[in-house]
Amino acid sequence: MAPISKECDFLVIGGGSGGLACARRASGQWGAKTIAVESNRLGGTCVNVGCVPKKVTWNAAAIAETLHEAAAYGFNIKETGPFDFKTFKHKRDDYVKRLNGIYERNLEKDHVEYLHGRAHLLNKNEVEVVLHNGSKEIIRAKKILLATGGHPNIPNTPGAELGITSDGFFDLETLPKRVALVGAGYIAVEMAGMFHHLGSETHLFIRHETFLRTFDPMIQETIVKEYERQGLHIHRNSSQSKIEKKDDKWMTMHYTDKNSPNGSTLDIDCLLWAIGRSPEVEDLGLDKAGVNQDQKGHIIADDYQNTNVENIYSLGDVCGKIELTPVAIAAGRQLANRLFGGPEFKNAKLDYTNIPSVVFAHPEVGSIGMTEQEARDTFGDENVKIYKTDFTAMYYAMMPPEAKAPTAYKVICTGEEEKVVGLHILGSGSAEMLQGFGVAVKMGARKRDFDSCVAIHPTSAEELVTLK
C-alpha cells in the first residue's frame, strides 16, 4: 500500500451542498483540519444539474407563459423570432460556472483543502483519492463524511440509451420539437412543464392515473387536470417496450397506455427518463470499511448522521432520506457542530419533521407536513378536520374561462386545538408563500393562529387565513 500522503481531522467525500456546508462549518467555524474531495464540479447536483439551472429554466418558461397571457390584459406583443434556446442555454451555463468558482473560493476562505478527484475507502480511517491528473493521494482521517449524492436511473428497456436523463436536459443545445418524458415524480413534472411552455410538444408517460403520487390527492388531481388543460399529453397506465432509432434526429417509442392497451408508437426527437435516482456508491469502497447499506444501496445513517462504523458519517441524497438540498445543508452544519463544536453541541442534529417542499410545476405546488390520509391514519378520522378551498386567482380575472388556471389550498388539523399538521397549496406564488407558512407549521401553529392573522388583500395567500 502507498504511504500516507496527507492527514486530517475531517475528510469530506462529496462536494455537493451538504458536504460543502459541513466541511466549511467544521473548518471555518470550528478550526478542524478539513479536506474535501469532489470528482465532478463543485456544488453537486443542485448547482450543476438540479435546482439552480432548473429554476433558471423555469423562469424562462414562466416568462413565455406570461407573454402568452399578456393579450388578455390588452398588450399586443409580437415576437420577432422564436425563443433563442441556444443563447439562453449558454448564459445559464455561464451562471453555473460562476457559482462553481464561488464555491471553490468559499472553501479557500474557510481553509478547507480541496482535492479534485475520485475517493475510495481503504478502511475506516484511510481513503485513496485518484486525482484528476491521474496521480494518487492516501489520506488518513480521524473522521470521514460520505456525502456523494446520487445519479439518475435509466431502465433496461431496449434502446433506453437513446434517451437522456435530467442531467442530459441541461446539455441540450436545441429545444426538441416533440419530447417524451417518462416518470411521475417532481423532476418529470417540472421538466414537462418547462418543455411545454418553451414550445415543445410534450408527452408525459406515467405508470398510474396521476403523478406526484406522494403528495396529497388534492395536489395530484388538480395538477394533472391542469396540465391536460394546458395541452400536455398525459399517457396514463403506460409502459415502454422498446426505443428505436429512426434517423440522426428522431427515434420511435413503442408503448402501451390507457388509450392504447394493445400498443402504439410515437416519433420523438427527445426522450427523457425521470424514473428515480440511485445513490452514488458504486466505487466508494463501502465494503472495505464495513459501512452498511439498505436494499436500494443507500448508506444507512441515523438521525445524527452516524453510520454503523464509528467515525464514519453520511448525509444527503446518498442516504435516501429526504432528497432536498436545504435538508443536506442543514444536516451538514448540524453534524459539524456536533463533531467539532464542543459540549454544548453534543446533541446537535437536524429535525427531519415538517420539512417544506415545492414543485416548480405550472402552477407551483407547495407542501409541508402530513397528507390527509396520513393524518387520518395517524390520529383517526374523528380527530382530523380538513379546511380547503379552490378558486380562481385575481390574476386570471381578465382572461376567458378556458385560460384560467386553478388555485387550491388545503389545511389539515388535528385535536381539539386544531393543530395544523399538514398544509398543501397549488397556484401561482406557492413557492414563496410556503416558506412563511412553513415557519408557522414548524412552530406548532393552530387553526386559530392562522385565523388571528389579518389578511393581506387582495392576495391568494389571504385565503389561508380566512378558511371556514
Side-chain angles (χ1 to χ4, degrees):
M1 183 181 293
I4 302 297
S5 53
K6 292 179 183 292
E7 295 193 28
C8 63
D9 298 318
F10 194 36
L11 175 62
V12 176
I13 302 176
S17 300
L20 294 180
C22 193
R24 292 183 60 198
R25 176 65 60 89
S27 177
Q29 185 162 335
W30 302 121
K33 184 179 180 182
T34 303
I35 298 174
V37 181
E38 171 56 47
S39 61
N40 208 314
R41 293 178 289 173
L42 283 174
T45 296
C46 176
V47 169
N48 296 291
V49 289
C51 330
V52 171
K54 179 271 299 288
K55 184 64 184 293
V56 173
T57 311
W58 184 89
N59 288 339
I63 291 170
E65 195 175 6
T66 302
L67 290 173
H68 177 73
E69 294 164 342
Y73 275 83
F75 291 92
N76 184 12
I77 298 175
K78 294 182 180 179
E79 294 187 58
T80 58
F83 173 60
D84 188 349
F85 185 83
K86 190 170 185 177
T87 296
F88 163 77
K89 188 262 185 192
H90 289 170
K91 289 185 71 175
R92 185 184 64 197
D93 289 349
D94 290 341
Y95 173 50
V96 170
K97 287 177 184 176
R98 291 199 300 274
L99 293 178
N100 296 146
I102 290 171
Y103 271 70
E104 186 164 2
R105 288 192 294 275
N106 282 340
L107 288 178
E108 293 174 4
K109 182 177 69 175
D110 284 325
H111 311 293
V112 176
E113 182 178 354
Y114 166 50
L115 298 180
H116 186 197
R118 192 82 174 173
H120 318 276
L121 292 165
L122 299 176
N123 53 55
K124 69 173 191 171
N125 288 105
E126 295 176 358
V127 173
E128 178 188 74
V129 179
V130 180
L131 298 174
H132 189 60
N133 61 12
S135 63
K136 296 181 180 180
E137 299 268 16
I138 304 295
I139 302 172
R140 178 178 289 150
K142 296 177 183 176
K143 300 180 187 298
I144 298 172
L145 171 64
L146 308 176
T148 50
H151 56 256
N153 296 331
I154 295 179
N156 295 322
T157 306
E161 71 278 0
L162 296 173
I164 61 173
T165 65
S166 55
D167 289 0
F169 172 85
F170 299 106
D171 291 329
L172 291 174
E173 291 283 344
T174 58
L175 194 64
K177 290 181 172 59
R178 183 184 296 135
V179 59
L181 301 97
V182 181
Y186 74 93
I187 293 174
V189 172
E190 289 178 338
M191 291 187 171
M194 291 185 283
F195 272 126
H196 172 73
H197 287 287
L198 291 176
S200 298
E201 180 185 317
T202 304
H203 295 254
L204 180 57
F205 290 80
I206 60 178
R207 288 189 298 172
H208 301 279
E209 286 288 325
T210 61
F211 45 71
L212 298 180
R213 294 178 62 245
T214 61
F215 285 75
D216 190 87
M218 179 198 76
I219 298 294
Q220 298 178 45
E221 294 159 9
T222 307
I223 193 67
V224 170
K225 184 177 179 181
E226 172 60 8
Y227 265 33
E228 289 186 311
R229 181 196 72 80
Q230 292 177 11
L232 284 84
H233 304 270
I234 311 297
H235 298 261
R236 295 174 171 83
N237 307 126
S238 69
S239 64
Q240 299 73 42
S241 57
K242 63 179 176 179
I243 316 297
E244 293 181 319
K245 188 175 180 65
K246 190 173 183 181
D247 55 36
D248 289 343
K249 293 184 178 180
W250 290 79
M251 68 192 88
T252 301
M253 172 190 281
H254 296 255
Y255 69 92
T256 61
D257 66 8
K258 187 174 183 178
N259 296 324
S260 303
N262 295 321
S264 187
T265 61
L266 180 69
D267 289 341
I268 50 179
D269 59 337
C270 183
L271 166 62
L272 193 150
W273 301 107
I275 57 172
R277 295 174 64 83
S278 293
E280 185 77 15
V281 294
E282 287 77 6
D283 59 347
L284 191 52
L286 297 176
D287 56 330
K288 294 180 180 178
V291 177
N292 289 342
Q293 299 168 261
D294 66 17
Q295 291 182 340
K296 294 184 177 180
H298 294 108
I299 296 172
I300 298 173
D302 64 17
D303 287 348
Y304 289 87
Q305 316 306 148
N306 300 310
T307 70
N308 63 299
V309 179
E310 187 181 8
N311 79 272
I312 296 183
Y313 312 89
S314 190
L315 56 81
D317 290 5
V318 75
C319 297
K321 197 165 187 179
I322 299 177
E323 297 183 15
L324 297 171
T325 294
V327 172
I329 292 172
R333 288 172 177 162
Q334 292 286 21
L335 176 62
N337 290 342
R338 183 169 70 85
L339 296 182
F340 303 106
E344 65 183 292
F345 294 102
K346 66 179 182 179
N347 295 316
K349 68 181 180 68
L350 174 63
D351 178 6
Y352 280 90
T353 61
N354 284 329
I355 290 176
S357 64
V358 163
V359 181
F360 285 99
H362 295 264
E364 301 158 56
V365 168
S367 178
I368 183 172
M370 296 180 175
T371 64
E372 180 176 340
Q373 191 59 53
E374 287 171 342
R376 293 187 184 282
D377 291 344
T378 301
F379 302 107
D381 290 345
E382 68 279 8
N383 296 313
V384 173
K385 187 166 184 180
I386 306 298
Y387 295 88
K388 60 183 179 180
T389 182
D390 59 86
F391 58 97
T392 301
M394 186 181 288
Y395 174 77
Y396 298 102
M398 306 291 284
M399 299 176 192
E402 65 274 10
K404 294 182 178 182
T407 304
Y409 298 156
K410 178 187 282 190
V411 176
I412 302 166
C413 302
T414 185
E416 291 184 6
E417 290 203 332
E418 294 192 337
K419 181 181 179 181
V420 178
V421 295
L423 186 147
H424 309 279
I425 56 178
L426 178 150
S428 179
S430 290
E432 299 290 349
M433 194 187 307
L434 184 63
Q435 188 69 80
F437 279 99
V439 174
V441 174
K442 190 72 175 174
M443 293 176 68
R446 300 153 298 181
K447 175 66 166 58
R448 65 173 178 267
D449 296 317
F450 278 39
D451 296 342
S452 70
C453 183
V454 176
I456 301 170
H457 183 74
T459 64
S460 292
E462 68 180 298
E463 296 292 330
L464 284 169
V465 297
T466 57
L467 285 169
K468 302 296 183 184

